[in-house]
């Protein structure tokens, strides 16, 4: 029997129009363009403005972009996964609403939350459903409205994050393209260093939690940085060694966009030059679950059938990992 692999057959994206520059941030907190650029690589990010617009707004737009470009009919989609740390509502699955809005009337859908690793883990989930033969079209969307959980008085976090969404369609492939290998990890030690303290089951929302600013992202940047650098580099290197890949076999490194310095450290360990590293952190900042699919959409025109891609991510929890995928089409 021919082996079924899970290949990405189409991508789409959406970023909001509003551009939040380093200059504008200088008017909110004690920071400056030189510090932000040299410490993170970020020049600007996109922010979703507009009353009542949540993560689903961007997820729908990214999915519609993919559907329009790929010419598939939404009724053919079997499953919609929304990878997100900022769902529209605490309980009702954002994915269910997104699926209905895009016309995926035959799909079942749910959200997947693993902070900045959500999309990477979602790639594993989507691929497993395809490889099992149970479903034929799984739409994975990474979307986050980070501006909804950021304190714009906290210079340690407000300079980093932005809003956006990206989508990828997973389909069966019998030529060997698609996901080849994965190495995913987590360590609960991380929740002291990157989290939102209130609003969950440990500390439900109250007047006091709101007054104490406990509903915003808190990050101990230096500690997270150290874990991110070593873990992203370790797992990426592991993908190469256990698949007998040399630097010249890799066409693209697709790293989570948290900090340019983390990306460069990972690239150095893998041994690839900057021309092989996908990067858009300068224009979008860290969009959490959306960084990886936004990269795919931005670089789609440069990708060729058979290209070897190494994905790597690190995020809250801690959660992290790497995936080796063979690109399946020329655009
Ligand atoms: O995607 C999920 C995972 N997240 C990450 O991977 C993020 C990992 N962490 C980072 O990217 C970096 O730690 C940050 C970008 C958050 C911070 O950069 P850093 O080089 O680790 O800075 P730091 O926190 O060690 O602070 C260095 C100095 C401090 O001043 P002193 O104590 O040396 O006088 C800070 O107070 O920079 C100061 N500082 C700032 N200065 C200007 C901190 N934030 C700012 C700022 N503007 N926004």
């Amino acid at each position: 029997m021919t082996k079924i692999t899970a290949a990405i057959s189409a991508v789409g994206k959406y970023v909001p129009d509003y551009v939040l520059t380093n200059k504008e941030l200088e008017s909110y907190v004690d920071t400056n363009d030189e510090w932000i650029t040299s410490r993170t690589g970020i020049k600007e990010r996109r922010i979703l403005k507009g009353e009542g617009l949540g993560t689903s707004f961007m997820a729908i737009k990214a999915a519609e972009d993919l559907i329009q470009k790929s010419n598939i009919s939404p009724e053919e989609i079997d499953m919609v996964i929304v990878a997100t740390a900022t769902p529209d509502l605490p309980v009702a699955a954002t994915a269910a609403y997104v699926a209905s809005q895009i016309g995926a009337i035959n799909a079942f859908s749910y959200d997947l939350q693993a902070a900045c690793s959500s999309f990477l883990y979602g790639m594993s989930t989507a691929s497993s459903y395809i490889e099992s033969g149970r479903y034929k079209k799984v739409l994975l969307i990474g979307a986050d409205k980070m501006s909804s959980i950021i304190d714009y008085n906290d210079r340690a976090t407000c300079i980093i994050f932005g809003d956006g969404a990206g989508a990828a369609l997973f389909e069966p492939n019998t030529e060997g393209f698609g996901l080849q290998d994965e190495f995913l990890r987590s360590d609960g030690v991380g929740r002291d260093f990157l989290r939102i303290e209130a609003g969950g089951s440990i500390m439900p929302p109250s007047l006091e939690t709101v007054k104490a600013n406990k509903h915003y992202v808190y990050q101990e940047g230096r500690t997270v940085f150290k874990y991110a650098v070593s873990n992203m580099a370790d797992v990426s290197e592991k993908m190469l060694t256990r698949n007998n890949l040399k630097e010249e076999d890799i066409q693209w490194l697709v790293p989570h966009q948290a900090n340019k310095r983390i990306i460069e450290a990972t690239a150095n360990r893998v041994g690839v030059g900057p021309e092989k590293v996908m990067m858009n952190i300068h224009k979008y900042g860290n969009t959490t679950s959306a960084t990886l699919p936004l990269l795919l959409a931005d670089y789609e025109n440069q990708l060729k059938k058979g290209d070897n891609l190494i994905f790597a991510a690190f995020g809250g929890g801690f959660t992290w990992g790497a995936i080796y995928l063979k690109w399946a089409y020329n655009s």
Side-chain angles (χ1 to χ4, degrees):
M1 217 174 82
T2 320
K3 190 177 175 222
I4 297 172
T5 48
I8 293 178
S9 57
V11 294
K13 71 174 260 199
Y14 174 78
V15 289
D17 293 334
Y18 190 85
V19 178
L20 174 58
T21 61
N22 290 348
K23 189 96 203 129
E24 184 178 342
L25 284 168
E26 286 177 19
S27 65
Y28 305 155
V29 289
D30 180 14
T31 190
N32 57 76
D33 176 53
E34 199 283 324
W35 192 94
I36 301 173
T37 307
S38 62
R39 305 308 292 167
T40 70
I42 303 168
K43 295 301 272 183
E44 55 190 43
R45 352 65 207 111
R46 300 301 181 97
I47 302 294
L48 181 63
K49 302 265 183 181
E51 193 71 23
L53 300 185
T55 293
S56 65
F57 179 83
M58 298 184 290
I60 291 165
K61 296 260 190 211
E64 286 173 345
D65 181 43
L66 180 152
I67 289 166
Q68 184 255 320
K69 277 165 58 188
S70 64
N71 265 329
I72 62 155
S73 161
E75 291 98 27
E76 296 169 42
I77 298 170
D78 298 305
M79 179 182 186
V80 177
I81 303 171
V82 173
T84 186
T86 53
D88 280 5
L89 304 168
V91 173
T94 302
Y97 180 72
V98 170
S100 295
Q101 292 296 307
I102 62 172
I105 52 171
N106 296 310
F108 75 105
S109 41
Y110 59 79
D111 297 350
L112 192 156
Q113 211 281 62
C116 290
S117 304
S118 301
F119 190 86
L120 188 85
Y121 284 14
M123 290 175 68
S124 168
T125 308
S127 297
S128 304
Y129 279 112
I130 296 289
E131 288 158 3
S132 72
R134 204 177 299 172
Y135 301 110
K136 300 270 183 283
K137 283 188 170 50
V138 177
L139 179 62
L140 173 64
I141 306 169
D144 267 305
K145 185 183 171 186
M146 294 306 291
S147 60
S148 65
I149 52 171
I150 293 301
D151 177 359
Y152 285 91
N153 294 310
D154 176 10
R155 72 175 182 172
T157 52
C158 75
I159 56 138
I160 301 169
F161 294 98
D163 303 338
L169 186 69
F170 286 77
E171 293 193 74
N173 188 286
T174 51
E175 296 175 283
F177 297 112
L179 193 141
Q180 307 292 312
D181 193 14
E182 66 179 35
F183 186 75
L184 308 178
R185 285 292 174 269
S186 61
D187 185 345
V189 71
R191 79 172 178 180
D192 289 339
F193 307 113
L194 177 48
R195 65 177 177 193
I196 295 178
E197 203 178 345
S201 54
I202 292 178
M203 193 186 290
S206 67
L207 206 51
E208 285 68 39
T209 61
V210 172
K211 279 186 189 156
N213 272 345
K214 289 182 189 286
H215 293 271
Y216 294 121
V217 170
Y218 161 81
Q219 174 171 246
E220 202 179 299
R222 216 173 292 190
T223 308
V224 178
F225 185 91
K226 279 187 204 144
Y227 276 96
V229 164
S230 62
N231 286 314
M232 262 176 73
D234 283 354
V235 291
S236 303
E237 193 181 30
K238 196 175 188 77
M239 272 302 97
L240 266 69
T241 48
R242 82 178 190 187
N243 288 284
N244 292 319
L245 295 167
K246 301 263 172 302
E247 172 276 310
E248 58 268 25
D249 301 321
I250 305 301
Q251 278 71 43
W252 294 101
L253 178 66
V254 193
H256 172 55
Q257 306 284 293
N259 187 313
K260 191 164 183 256
R261 290 182 291 142
I262 300 174
I263 297 167
E264 285 168 351
T266 307
N268 283 342
R269 182 82 79 80
V270 173
V272 295
E275 73 288 350
K276 288 186 173 183
V277 182
M278 291 192 189
M279 188 119 63
N280 57 16
I281 190 169
H282 52 289
K283 51 182 185 173
Y284 302 143
N286 182 350
T287 54
T288 302
S289 314
T291 62
L292 299 183
L294 279 174
L295 286 172
L296 293 180
D298 282 354
Y299 282 82
E300 184 185 22
N301 290 339
Q302 296 179 57
L303 288 167
K304 294 191 188 61
K305 192 172 178 177
D307 277 358
N308 287 324
L309 277 58
I310 301 291
F311 293 77
F314 184 90
F318 293 131
T319 53
W320 72 97
I323 283 179
Y324 163 34
L325 177 137
K326 264 188 192 300
W327 196 248
Y329 64 94
N330 297 312
S331 51

